[in-house]
Amino acid sequence: DPPGAPGPAMKELLLVGGAVGLLAFVVLALRFPRVSLLTLVALDVSNINGVIADQLGTSPYKPQLGLAVIAVLVMVRRRMFRFAWSPVLLGLMVLAAGFCLSFVATADPVASLDLLLSYARDFLYFLVVYALLLSTDALKTCTAVAVLVLAALAGLTVVHEFVLHNSGSLFGLSRVPLVQEGGALTPRHAGTSSDVNFWARLLIMFTPMALSLLAMSRGWRDRVLWAGAALALLLGVYLTQSRGGFIALFVGLIVWAVLAGGRYRKALLYLPLALLVIVPLSGIGSRLS
């Protein structure tokens, strides 16, 4: 063992402590299925599962999904399970049927079967999350947790850029695969992903949700929390230096303001003035051109 490494007794103590903590989490997740739901969604959406797999060599995704399935069965046994039909379910059924039909005439059955199993796992994930959302009535809570986790990771990329000057990768939580690129004003951050554009897409998807949570908040503490989360997500998108991301974010924010209505829709009147200030200061004009 290298100098400073924990001894055998310490290793055994850590293993016992980890096993006890894991057992306590399993009991808590089965007793309160909302815990299982929030953990499953937060770690998967943010790709922290992938980071853990890179660091430890194994991903907790499948055990989490299995625990969520058991939580659903426990809710059925306790008569707490609720489910409802949705057009999205019909769309998924049509999509799954299309995959199965294409499998019949495939040129590479082995590769196609692996792909089909991967899609089936994704469908199972959706159904489990959908059932837990309906059964626990935790839609807003689940959205809030996902927004907070991604905002924290986006904020970490800001600290990584401006405070730590991109030193290391922070255990895979803030990756910078593109240090220099023509027209980019900063190194391009990818967060927990390996692709800067995929990371931008993820942050953009949850930015309107952060704005909605801000619009629905009542107390000043909630307003500060969700305003900070929205700002962190916006800065995270900026650090990706993704041109497609900038355009998608711009369109998404306009659509959100139109749907939100009220003072948010009226604020679009000031959009030209805001662009005259933001584009030169951020330097994205040259990047987009």
Side-chain angles (χ1 to χ4, degrees), residues 10-289:
M10 180 59 69
K11 289 181 179 178
E12 292 179 1
L13 184 61
L14 291 174
L15 287 174
V16 171
V20 172
L22 182 60
L23 179 61
F25 172 76
V26 170
V27 173
L28 185 65
L30 294 179
R31 179 68 180 83
F32 303 100
R34 183 175 294 197
V35 173
S36 180
L37 169 66
L38 298 180
T39 305
L40 177 65
V41 171
L43 296 187
D44 186 55
V45 165
S46 60
N47 196 41
I48 292 180
N49 283 329
V51 174
I52 294 175
D54 291 339
Q55 297 296 322
L56 302 181
T58 182
S59 171
Y61 172 77
K62 290 182 179 179
Q64 288 171 8
L65 183 58
L67 181 61
V69 171
I70 297 175
V72 170
L73 297 177
V74 170
M75 296 187 77
V76 173
R77 179 68 177 82
R78 295 165 61 186
R79 298 182 180 179
M80 298 171 57
F81 178 76
R82 296 197 303 270
F83 204 78
W85 179 252
S86 166
V88 178
L89 295 178
L90 177 61
L92 286 177
M93 291 174 62
V94 172
L95 189 62
F99 286 144
C100 292
L101 288 176
S102 65
F103 177 72
V104 174
T106 181
D108 190 344
V110 176
S112 297
L113 180 59
D114 291 340
L115 185 61
L116 190 62
L117 292 176
S118 176
Y119 286 140
R121 184 193 63 193
D122 293 339
F123 290 154
L124 175 63
Y125 173 87
F126 174 84
L127 289 174
V128 169
V129 170
Y130 180 69
L132 285 174
L133 281 174
L134 293 180
S135 300
T136 60
D137 195 24
L139 178 59
K140 184 178 179 180
T141 304
C142 189
T143 302
V145 168
V147 167
L148 286 175
V149 170
L150 284 170
L153 291 172
L156 188 62
T157 64
V158 175
V159 173
H160 196 199
E161 168 70 24
F162 297 108
V163 178
L164 302 178
H165 306 293
N166 300 318
S167 176
S169 67
L170 304 184
F171 301 101
L173 295 175
S174 181
R175 296 165 178 162
V176 192
L178 300 173
V179 178
Q180 292 182 341
E181 186 170 309
L185 291 184
T186 69
R188 302 187 63 188
H189 287 252
T192 57
S193 178
S194 59
D195 188 289
V196 293
N197 295 307
F198 289 169
W199 179 242
R201 180 180 66 182
L202 184 60
L203 298 182
I204 291 165
M205 287 173 60
F206 282 87
T207 301
M209 296 185 186
L211 294 175
S212 294
L213 290 167
L214 173 61
M216 292 187 295
S217 59
R218 293 294 178 263
W220 68 269
R221 291 185 179 87
D222 287 343
R223 292 192 183 98
V224 170
L225 174 64
W226 299 121
L231 179 61
L233 292 170
L234 291 171
L235 291 174
V237 175
Y238 173 73
L239 288 179
T240 66
Q241 291 290 297
S242 171
R243 288 167 290 196
F246 294 155
I247 296 172
L249 178 63
F250 178 72
V251 174
L253 293 180
I254 290 179
V255 172
W256 181 86
V258 170
L259 295 177
R263 65 178 183 271
Y264 303 105
R265 187 181 300 170
K266 293 178 181 178
L268 292 176
L269 297 175
Y270 302 97
L271 183 61
L273 180 61
L275 291 178
L276 286 175
V277 176
I278 294 174
V279 171
L281 288 179
S282 62
I284 65 175
S286 60
R287 176 73 173 155
L288 290 174
S289 63

